Amino acid sequence: MDHPSCVECGKRAESGKELYREFSGGSLQLSRCDYCRKVLDKYVEMDTVTVLVDVLLLRLESYRHVMCNVHLSTPILLRLTTVLLICAAYILLFKSCHYFILD
């Protein structure tokens, strides 16, 4: 992955910049974004289930992590995108129906 993206602001990192540096003993140092000065990708050290829950909660940062910073093959990425769009549409539809029912 040549240019990771910041999950907070969406800007691309400099060429050659990595998401993290690994030290002996298994400890990681997460890189910071040059634009917003926050951690480039906080989801690097999180469990897959936590990332999936954040995706289902429609958190923009988790979408940026999955779409920009995770190396997935094209068919898997297309399936994931389709499922996420269906979930987002369902939630928006539910919110709009719920709004009309309360009125």
Side-chain angles (χ1 to χ4, degrees):
M1 177 168 332
D2 296 333
H3 301 285
S5 295
C6 177
V7 296
E8 299 293 334
C9 67
K11 301 278 187 182
R12 288 253 185 220
E14 295 176 352
S15 178
K17 190 166 193 171
E18 296 179 1
L19 291 173
Y20 60 90
R21 285 191 326 181
E22 191 168 353
F23 296 101
S24 60
S27 60
L28 300 175
Q29 179 185 16
L30 301 177
S31 300
R32 296 210 169 261
C33 176
D34 297 325
Y35 298 100
C36 67
R37 308 309 278 164
K38 294 182 180 177
V39 174
L40 264 178
D41 193 350
K42 62 185 176 187
Y43 290 100
V44 169
E45 60 184 359
M46 292 186 185
D47 188 18
T48 307
V49 175
T50 307
V51 175
L52 182 61
V53 168
D54 279 357
V55 165
L56 292 176
L57 290 173
L58 303 177
R59 301 225 169 128
L60 183 60
E61 296 88 4
S62 61
Y63 278 97
R64 286 180 179 154
H65 167 74
V66 171
M67 298 299 180
C68 300
N69 296 338
V70 175
H71 183 68
L72 296 172
S73 64
T74 304
I76 294 173
L77 191 58
L78 288 175
R79 288 181 192 149
L80 180 64
T81 304
T82 305
V83 168
L84 295 177
L85 286 174
I86 291 171
C87 289
Y90 176 76
I91 290 172
L92 291 174
L93 178 67
F94 178 75
K95 281 183 178 180
S96 66
C97 291
H98 185 56
Y99 175 75
F100 288 121
I101 291 172
L102 292 177
D103 281 348

